[in-house]
Amino acid sequence: MFDFDMLGLSPALLSAIKANGFDTPTPIQNQAIPLALDGHDILGLAQTGTGKTLAFGLPLIAHLSEATGKPAPRSVRALILAPTRELVNQIADSLRAFTTGTPLKVATVVGGQSIGRQIATLARGTDILVATPGRLIDLMDRGAVDLRTAQHLVLDEADQMLDLGFIHALRRIAPALGTPRQTMLFSATMPKQMEELSRAYLTNPRKVQVSPPGKAADKVTQSVVYMDKADKPAKLREILDRDPDALTLVFARTKHGAEKLMKGLVADGYNAASIHGNKSQGQRDRAIKAFRDGTITTLVATDVAARGIDIPGVAYVINYELPDTPDNYVHRIGRTARAGREGEAIAFCSAEEVDLLVQIEKLMKVEIPVAGGTRPRAVAMEKPQRGGGRGRGQGQGKPQGHAKPAGRVMAAEAAPAKRRRPRRRRAA
């Protein structure tokens, strides 16, 4: 058994840790904190919900507390990059709990919020800036932030930043930081491209790995239920009715699908809300707060929330639709069984999704227990057309070789397209 006072942290930080209710460091914290305090670059691999934020956050605060003077206008002393707004806010809130009563300032910049207000905040300088790459690039282009004074860089959930196409942003941001610097890269999975990223940005890193990449948290009970796509709504309601007061996170594949699913639940009397890319930041923040408080018991989300929700009370994660990327399954189910608690993850799998399930099991090197139905033959999913589809994302097309399901038909589909009349040539 280890205690935080054995890791080399200052008395002030140890008091803050105790005041925030932490007694024993997690394995990733126990291994990473001493190395980070010594100034090493860190490559950290651990399951979601294992305390990675404090693994890099506490050493960061310790280093910055030793600095003298205030940050210069527009300057940043430490930069933390994360892929989503929710994760940025979560990291910042966690760090502020340990900087209260100190001169250290923590600021955030994300899309969907007033850039003018963010420019005004950065104009005063900040010690720790937590940012999404896209908005940070916007601010750099406007000359609103100077990263040359940053001596610390943290890439959190780096694999999802790669999935979301932030590699080009990282290539612009990293060279703008000061050197020499300490760089820490944390993630739950280790795709090949991230290995290349670590070689490019880390110098003689110490690798800290507390579980195999792609492995789910030990306290998550997983199961899969095979069913027809049309049976999913009824099955979801059956599960929600078993434990109406439990916090349940439901994942859909597309923004349109998540919103439609949420509205159907609300219409049936369920206490539900949704978060996805079409929601404003304010709407997303309010929904997460209501979910955290228990005012909302069912939250329907796309993968934008897979790594941005740190709510210890989530009892169930339901994969209403399996993700297109196997790594995202690991992050989705990591929203439950957090902070040492137990949780249950249930996956719905139709014939169109069997191949996705196979890829997930291959990544995790386990066969997910079957809780109902039998595995059907895989049916190829129709690929979405570029530029088309009002709300139909990847995997939302009808199965090939199957009749179109009954229901309301879009106007564009209901009427045949009009033929264009050929132009008559004018007489010469």
Side-chain angles (χ1 to χ4, degrees), residues 39 44 59 74 108 115 191 245 263 289 293 300 303 313 319 331 345 348 355 386 393 401:
R74 297 187 300 109
T108 62
I115 195 168
D245 296 328
K263 288 180 177 178
K289 183 180 184 302
D293 295 342
V300 185
D303 282 319
N319 280 281
H331 294 291
F348 294 176
D355 286 342
R386 290 182 178 272

PDB file of all heavy atoms in Angstrom, residues 39 44 59 74 108 115 191 245 263 289 293 300 303 313 319 331 345 348 355 386 393 401:
ATOM      1  N   GLY A  39      11.513  15.392 -13.697  1.00  0.00           N
ATOM      2  CA  GLY A  39      11.674  16.090 -14.966  1.00  0.00           C
ATOM      3  C   GLY A  39      11.701  15.215 -16.200  1.00  0.00           C
ATOM      4  O   GLY A  39      11.950  15.715 -17.303  1.00  0.00           O
ATOM      5  N   GLY A  44       2.585   7.592 -20.749  1.00  0.00           N
ATOM      6  CA  GLY A  44       1.735   6.885 -19.803  1.00  0.00           C
ATOM      7  C   GLY A  44       0.581   6.170 -20.477  1.00  0.00           C
ATOM      8  O   GLY A  44      -0.172   6.776 -21.242  1.00  0.00           O
ATOM      9  N   PRO A  59       2.451  16.694 -10.559  1.00  0.00           N
ATOM     10  CA  PRO A  59       3.834  17.124 -10.827  1.00  0.00           C
ATOM     11  C   PRO A  59       3.903  18.474 -11.525  1.00  0.00           C
ATOM     12  O   PRO A  59       4.808  19.274 -11.264  1.00  0.00           O
ATOM     13  CB  PRO A  59       4.385  16.010 -11.730  1.00  0.00           C
ATOM     14  CG  PRO A  59       3.529  14.830 -11.466  1.00  0.00           C
ATOM     15  CD  PRO A  59       2.166  15.379 -11.174  1.00  0.00           C
ATOM     16  N   ARG A  74      -0.061  37.367 -22.220  1.00  0.00           N
ATOM     17  CA  ARG A  74      -0.231  36.432 -23.346  1.00  0.00           C
ATOM     18  C   ARG A  74       0.637  35.175 -23.214  1.00  0.00           C
ATOM     19  O   ARG A  74       0.626  34.321 -24.095  1.00  0.00           O
ATOM     20  CB  ARG A  74       0.073  37.109 -24.692  1.00  0.00           C
ATOM     21  CG  ARG A  74      -0.846  38.255 -25.036  1.00  0.00           C
ATOM     22  CD  ARG A  74      -0.615  38.776 -26.443  1.00  0.00           C
ATOM     23  NE  ARG A  74       0.744  39.271 -26.631  1.00  0.00           N
ATOM     24  CZ  ARG A  74       1.663  38.662 -27.372  1.00  0.00           C
ATOM     25  NH1 ARG A  74       1.375  37.540 -28.005  1.00  0.00           N
ATOM     26  NH2 ARG A  74       2.860  39.174 -27.491  1.00  0.00           N
ATOM     27  N   THR A 108      -8.826  27.962 -19.697  1.00  0.00           N
ATOM     28  CA  THR A 108      -9.237  27.018 -20.740  1.00  0.00           C
ATOM     29  C   THR A 108      -9.577  27.776 -22.015  1.00  0.00           C
ATOM     30  O   THR A 108     -10.083  28.903 -21.965  1.00  0.00           O
ATOM     31  CB  THR A 108     -10.475  26.201 -20.316  1.00  0.00           C
ATOM     32  OG1 THR A 108     -11.583  27.088 -20.095  1.00  0.00           O
ATOM     33  CG2 THR A 108     -10.213  25.410 -19.053  1.00  0.00           C
ATOM     34  N   ILE A 115     -14.569  33.751 -28.312  1.00  0.00           N
ATOM     35  CA  ILE A 115     -13.125  33.852 -28.505  1.00  0.00           C
ATOM     36  C   ILE A 115     -12.616  35.187 -27.960  1.00  0.00           C
ATOM     37  O   ILE A 115     -11.463  35.297 -27.515  1.00  0.00           O
ATOM     38  CB  ILE A 115     -12.750  33.674 -29.994  1.00  0.00           C
ATOM     39  CG1 ILE A 115     -11.242  33.418 -30.133  1.00  0.00           C
ATOM     40  CG2 ILE A 115     -13.191  34.873 -30.831  1.00  0.00           C
ATOM     41  CD1 ILE A 115     -10.819  32.945 -31.503  1.00  0.00           C
ATOM     42  N   PRO A 191      -2.141   3.045 -30.518  1.00  0.00           N
ATOM     43  CA  PRO A 191      -2.064   2.710 -31.938  1.00  0.00           C
ATOM     44  C   PRO A 191      -0.682   3.031 -32.498  1.00  0.00           C
ATOM     45  O   PRO A 191       0.085   3.791 -31.898  1.00  0.00           O
ATOM     46  CB  PRO A 191      -3.142   3.594 -32.567  1.00  0.00           C
ATOM     47  CG  PRO A 191      -3.310   4.723 -31.620  1.00  0.00           C
ATOM     48  CD  PRO A 191      -3.042   4.173 -30.261  1.00  0.00           C
ATOM     49  N   ASP A 245     -33.526   4.626 -11.391  1.00  0.00           N
ATOM     50  CA  ASP A 245     -32.777   5.711 -10.758  1.00  0.00           C
ATOM     51  C   ASP A 245     -31.280   5.675 -11.052  1.00  0.00           C
ATOM     52  O   ASP A 245     -30.553   6.595 -10.656  1.00  0.00           O
ATOM     53  CB  ASP A 245     -32.992   5.669  -9.243  1.00  0.00           C
ATOM     54  CG  ASP A 245     -34.451   5.916  -8.866  1.00  0.00           C
ATOM     55  OD1 ASP A 245     -35.124   6.673  -9.583  1.00  0.00           O
ATOM     56  OD2 ASP A 245     -34.907   5.326  -7.858  1.00  0.00           O
ATOM     57  N   LYS A 263     -35.039  12.003 -27.993  1.00  0.00           N
ATOM     58  CA  LYS A 263     -36.405  12.525 -28.095  1.00  0.00           C
ATOM     59  C   LYS A 263     -37.439  11.410 -27.944  1.00  0.00           C
ATOM     60  O   LYS A 263     -38.504  11.614 -27.351  1.00  0.00           O
ATOM     61  CB  LYS A 263     -36.586  13.253 -29.422  1.00  0.00           C
ATOM     62  CG  LYS A 263     -35.850  14.582 -29.484  1.00  0.00           C
ATOM     63  CD  LYS A 263     -36.061  15.285 -30.814  1.00  0.00           C
ATOM     64  CE  LYS A 263     -35.381  16.659 -30.823  1.00  0.00           C
ATOM     65  NZ  LYS A 263     -35.536  17.353 -32.125  1.00  0.00           N
ATOM     66  N   LYS A 289     -24.038  18.499 -16.298  1.00  0.00           N
ATOM     67  CA  LYS A 289     -24.271  18.874 -14.903  1.00  0.00           C
ATOM     68  C   LYS A 289     -25.540  18.206 -14.367  1.00  0.00           C
ATOM     69  O   LYS A 289     -25.558  17.680 -13.245  1.00  0.00           O
ATOM     70  CB  LYS A 289     -24.391  20.390 -14.767  1.00  0.00           C
ATOM     71  CG  LYS A 289     -24.566  20.874 -13.326  1.00  0.00           C
ATOM     72  CD  LYS A 289     -24.676  22.380 -13.243  1.00  0.00           C
ATOM     73  CE  LYS A 289     -24.744  22.841 -11.786  1.00  0.00           C
ATOM     74  NZ  LYS A 289     -25.882  22.243 -11.060  1.00  0.00           N
ATOM     75  N   ASP A 293     -25.682  15.534 -11.367  1.00  0.00           N
ATOM     76  CA  ASP A 293     -26.513  15.784 -10.189  1.00  0.00           C
ATOM     77  C   ASP A 293     -27.634  14.759 -10.018  1.00  0.00           C
ATOM     78  O   ASP A 293     -28.278  14.723  -8.966  1.00  0.00           O
ATOM     79  CB  ASP A 293     -27.135  17.181 -10.269  1.00  0.00           C
ATOM     80  CG  ASP A 293     -26.075  18.285 -10.223  1.00  0.00           C
ATOM     81  OD1 ASP A 293     -24.945  17.989  -9.798  1.00  0.00           O
ATOM     82  OD2 ASP A 293     -26.393  19.417 -10.626  1.00  0.00           O
ATOM     83  N   VAL A 300     -27.787  10.396 -23.526  1.00  0.00           N
ATOM     84  CA  VAL A 300     -27.482   9.808 -24.831  1.00  0.00           C
ATOM     85  C   VAL A 300     -26.368  10.635 -25.466  1.00  0.00           C
ATOM     86  O   VAL A 300     -26.470  11.867 -25.530  1.00  0.00           O
ATOM     87  CB  VAL A 300     -28.722   9.794 -25.739  1.00  0.00           C
ATOM     88  CG1 VAL A 300     -28.410   9.071 -27.047  1.00  0.00           C
ATOM     89  CG2 VAL A 300     -29.896   9.111 -25.036  1.00  0.00           C
ATOM     90  N   ASP A 303     -19.539   9.782 -29.577  1.00  0.00           N
ATOM     91  CA  ASP A 303     -18.188   9.591 -29.042  1.00  0.00           C
ATOM     92  C   ASP A 303     -17.527  10.893 -28.596  1.00  0.00           C
ATOM     93  O   ASP A 303     -16.462  10.850 -27.985  1.00  0.00           O
ATOM     94  CB  ASP A 303     -17.302   8.886 -30.076  1.00  0.00           C
ATOM     95  CG  ASP A 303     -17.584   7.402 -30.140  1.00  0.00           C
ATOM     96  OD1 ASP A 303     -17.777   6.796 -29.074  1.00  0.00           O
ATOM     97  OD2 ASP A 303     -17.642   6.848 -31.253  1.00  0.00           O
ATOM     98  N   GLY A 313     -20.589   8.136 -10.540  1.00  0.00           N
ATOM     99  CA  GLY A 313     -21.847   7.443 -10.295  1.00  0.00           C
ATOM    100  C   GLY A 313     -22.473   6.755 -11.487  1.00  0.00           C
ATOM    101  O   GLY A 313     -23.574   6.196 -11.361  1.00  0.00           O
ATOM    102  N   ASN A 319     -23.974   0.470 -25.195  1.00  0.00           N
ATOM    103  CA  ASN A 319     -23.577   0.732 -26.572  1.00  0.00           C
ATOM    104  C   ASN A 319     -24.773   0.405 -27.459  1.00  0.00           C
ATOM    105  O   ASN A 319     -24.896  -0.712 -27.972  1.00  0.00           O
ATOM    106  CB  ASN A 319     -22.356  -0.105 -26.951  1.00  0.00           C
ATOM    107  CG  ASN A 319     -21.070   0.506 -26.440  1.00  0.00           C
ATOM    108  OD1 ASN A 319     -20.544   1.448 -27.029  1.00  0.00           O
ATOM    109  ND2 ASN A 319     -20.567  -0.030 -25.336  1.00  0.00           N
ATOM    110  N   HIS A 331     -12.968   3.290 -24.531  1.00  0.00           N
ATOM    111  CA  HIS A 331     -13.171   4.564 -23.870  1.00  0.00           C
ATOM    112  C   HIS A 331     -14.619   4.756 -23.451  1.00  0.00           C
ATOM    113  O   HIS A 331     -14.895   5.355 -22.414  1.00  0.00           O
ATOM    114  CB  HIS A 331     -12.725   5.702 -24.777  1.00  0.00           C
ATOM    115  CG  HIS A 331     -11.248   5.699 -25.031  1.00  0.00           C
ATOM    116  ND1 HIS A 331     -10.325   6.000 -24.055  1.00  0.00           N
ATOM    117  CD2 HIS A 331     -10.530   5.406 -26.135  1.00  0.00           C
ATOM    118  CE1 HIS A 331      -9.104   5.903 -24.553  1.00  0.00           C
ATOM    119  NE2 HIS A 331      -9.212   5.541 -25.809  1.00  0.00           N
ATOM    120  N   ALA A 345     -21.379  -2.718 -18.588  1.00  0.00           N
ATOM    121  CA  ALA A 345     -21.403  -2.250 -19.972  1.00  0.00           C
ATOM    122  C   ALA A 345     -22.128  -3.285 -20.824  1.00  0.00           C
ATOM    123  O   ALA A 345     -21.742  -4.454 -20.851  1.00  0.00           O
ATOM    124  CB  ALA A 345     -19.990  -2.035 -20.498  1.00  0.00           C
ATOM    125  N   PHE A 348     -25.347  -3.636 -27.710  1.00  0.00           N
ATOM    126  CA  PHE A 348     -26.358  -4.153 -28.628  1.00  0.00           C
ATOM    127  C   PHE A 348     -25.659  -4.412 -29.959  1.00  0.00           C
ATOM    128  O   PHE A 348     -24.962  -3.538 -30.467  1.00  0.00           O
ATOM    129  CB  PHE A 348     -27.476  -3.143 -28.851  1.00  0.00           C
ATOM    130  CG  PHE A 348     -28.324  -2.857 -27.639  1.00  0.00           C
ATOM    131  CD1 PHE A 348     -29.315  -1.895 -27.694  1.00  0.00           C
ATOM    132  CD2 PHE A 348     -28.133  -3.542 -26.440  1.00  0.00           C
ATOM    133  CE1 PHE A 348     -30.114  -1.611 -26.591  1.00  0.00           C
ATOM    134  CE2 PHE A 348     -28.923  -3.270 -25.327  1.00  0.00           C
ATOM    135  CZ  PHE A 348     -29.910  -2.299 -25.404  1.00  0.00           C
ATOM    136  N   ASP A 355     -19.122  -7.411 -37.600  1.00  0.00           N
ATOM    137  CA  ASP A 355     -17.710  -7.189 -37.929  1.00  0.00           C
ATOM    138  C   ASP A 355     -17.070  -6.177 -36.970  1.00  0.00           C
ATOM    139  O   ASP A 355     -15.892  -6.297 -36.614  1.00  0.00           O
ATOM    140  CB  ASP A 355     -17.572  -6.692 -39.372  1.00  0.00           C
ATOM    141  CG  ASP A 355     -17.800  -7.802 -40.393  1.00  0.00           C
ATOM    142  OD1 ASP A 355     -17.713  -8.984 -40.001  1.00  0.00           O
ATOM    143  OD2 ASP A 355     -18.080  -7.484 -41.560  1.00  0.00           O
ATOM    144  N   ARG A 386     -21.039  10.728 -49.834  1.00  0.00           N
ATOM    145  CA  ARG A 386     -20.396  11.988 -49.478  1.00  0.00           C
ATOM    146  C   ARG A 386     -21.337  13.157 -49.741  1.00  0.00           C
ATOM    147  O   ARG A 386     -21.949  13.231 -50.790  1.00  0.00           O
ATOM    148  CB  ARG A 386     -19.111  12.197 -50.304  1.00  0.00           C
ATOM    149  CG  ARG A 386     -17.994  11.242 -49.930  1.00  0.00           C
ATOM    150  CD  ARG A 386     -16.763  11.548 -50.756  1.00  0.00           C
ATOM    151  NE  ARG A 386     -15.670  10.675 -50.391  1.00  0.00           N
ATOM    152  CZ  ARG A 386     -14.813  10.947 -49.432  1.00  0.00           C
ATOM    153  NH1 ARG A 386     -14.940  12.055 -48.750  1.00  0.00           N
ATOM    154  NH2 ARG A 386     -13.824  10.129 -49.151  1.00  0.00           N
ATOM    155  N   GLY A 393     -25.260   9.024 -40.765  1.00  0.00           N
ATOM    156  CA  GLY A 393     -23.806   8.904 -40.697  1.00  0.00           C
ATOM    157  C   GLY A 393     -23.379   7.510 -41.077  1.00  0.00           C
ATOM    158  O   GLY A 393     -24.157   6.690 -41.547  1.00  0.00           O
ATOM    159  N   GLY A 401     -29.409  -5.539 -49.300  1.00  0.00           N
ATOM    160  CA  GLY A 401     -30.201  -6.737 -49.539  1.00  0.00           C
ATOM    161  C   GLY A 401     -31.436  -6.817 -48.674  1.00  0.00           C
ATOM    162  O   GLY A 401     -32.157  -7.802 -48.709  1.00  0.00           O
TER     163      GLY A 401
END
